[in-house]
């Protein structure tokens, strides 16, 4: 997420002068530091602080409020209307689907605001991973193992692969499995209100825009960087193809 925050999200927030941000999943707070450097910003961070004591780290930073806890425990107690919400916490269907649902039900994202979601591509787009499997209700938890994940291979590997030691779904794909599947399921229930697009590279960034009216398009999501204009339609073409998605249609 850090690369996307640096190259895309921070310049976009600066350009739009958006100031009310929620960051779910902050790890060591490196993206938080980039966000906190923006003028007039107020960042609400939600994280159980598994990697770092973020309350201590940002104790003297007035722009940052740390809510220590799991997103699904903390979000229902918020009353904010955010311009932008970054989701990069627990990368599994149950957590992401319910994060989006709570955000929508409680109106935590204002109309015209954006939810950015990391890890919409391989490996977690179609495969759950769990920071703390015991925190996910068993009926929503995939059978999981600590083996390696190998691109193009549905099964996990005993010998090779990435992210060994992290609990992850034994099988890739299928219902209620992975971050992108969670977004699709949420979109299917909110037809017309949200627009989704994604940037490829660095495990993929999902951009979920909450419409203000039916005629808006996402081309306003452009930033100038090193003399070139990038937006969510052109920026990732330097890396790979961008897929532009309308509510209700399947995400490729
Ligand atoms: C991939 S790291 C986030 C990286 C960060 N966004 C960045 O750009 O540097 C994932 C973080 O999510 C946190 N996390 C795990 N489960 C969570 C949950 N249910 N709610 C909120 N945060 C969670 C972990 O503590 C960890 O700090």
């Amino acid at each position: 997420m850090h690369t996307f925050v640096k190259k895309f999200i921070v310049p976009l927030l600066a350009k739009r002068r958006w100031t009310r941000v929620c960051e779910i999943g902050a790890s060591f707070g490196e993206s938080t530091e980039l966000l906190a450097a923006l003028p007039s910003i107020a960042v609400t961070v939600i994280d159980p602080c598994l990697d770092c004591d973020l309350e201590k780290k940002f104790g003297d930073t007035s722009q940052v409020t740390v809510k220590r806890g799991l997103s699904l425990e903390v979000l229902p107690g918020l009353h904010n209307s955010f311009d932008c919400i970054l989701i990069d916490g627990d990368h599994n269907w149950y957590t992401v689907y319910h994060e989006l649902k709570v955000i929508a039900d409680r109106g935590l994202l204002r109309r015209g605001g954006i939810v950015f979601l990391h890890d919409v591509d391989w490996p977690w787009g179609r495969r759950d991973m769990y920071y703390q499997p015991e925190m996910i209700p068993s009926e929503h938890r995939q059978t999981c193992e600590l083996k390696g994940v190998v691109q193009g291979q549905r099964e996990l590997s005993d010998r090779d692969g990435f992210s060994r030691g992290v609990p992850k779904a034994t099988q890739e794909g299928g219902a209620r499995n992975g971050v992108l599947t969670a977004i699709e399921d949420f979109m299917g229930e909110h037809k017309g209100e949200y627009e989704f697009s994604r940037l490829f590279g660095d495990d993929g960034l999902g951009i979920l825009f909450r419409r203000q009216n039916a005629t808006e398009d996402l081309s306003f999501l452009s930033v100038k960087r090193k003399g070139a204009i990038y937006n969510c339609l052109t920026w990732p073409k330097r890396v790979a193809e961008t897929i532009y998605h309308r509510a209700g249609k399947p995400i490729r």
Side-chain angles (χ1 to χ4, degrees), residues 1-2 25-27 31 46-48 50-51 70-71 88-90 131:
M1 186 72 145
H2 186 256
S27 190
S31 295
I46 303 172
D47 196 298
L50 302 176
D51 294 336
L70 301 177
S71 54
D88 190 21
D90 211 4
Y131 272 88

Side-chain angles (χ1 to χ4, degrees), residues 137-199:
S138 56
E139 66 272 24
H140 292 294
R141 197 171 58 223
Q142 301 282 336
T143 306
C144 57
E145 294 174 276
L146 300 174
K147 297 176 185 173
V149 57
V150 179
Q151 193 148 23
Q153 190 177 306
R154 223 174 151 230
E155 315 285 336
L156 297 173
S157 166
D158 281 321
R159 291 185 317 151
D160 314 309
F162 166 78
S163 205
R164 305 178 71 80
V166 174
K168 61 190 78 62
T170 301
Q171 297 282 330
E172 183 176 32
R176 299 188 167 198
N177 197 6
V179 172
L180 190 58
T181 309
I183 299 168
E184 283 175 345
D185 290 350
F186 172 80
M187 293 280 292
E189 294 162 13
H190 293 81
K191 292 192 174 72
E193 192 178 349
Y194 293 86
E195 198 81 35
F196 183 75
S197 64
R198 57 200 270 205
L199 304 184

Side-chain angles (χ1 to χ4, degrees), residues 78-103:
L78 297 186
H79 301 281
N80 309 56
S81 174
F82 293 108
D83 297 316
C84 164
I85 299 176
L86 281 60
I87 297 184
D88 190 21
D90 211 4
H91 305 308
N92 54 70
W93 183 93
Y94 176 82
T95 304
V96 174
Y97 171 80
H98 287 96
E99 285 170 342
L100 292 174
K101 199 164 154 39
V102 176
I103 288 166

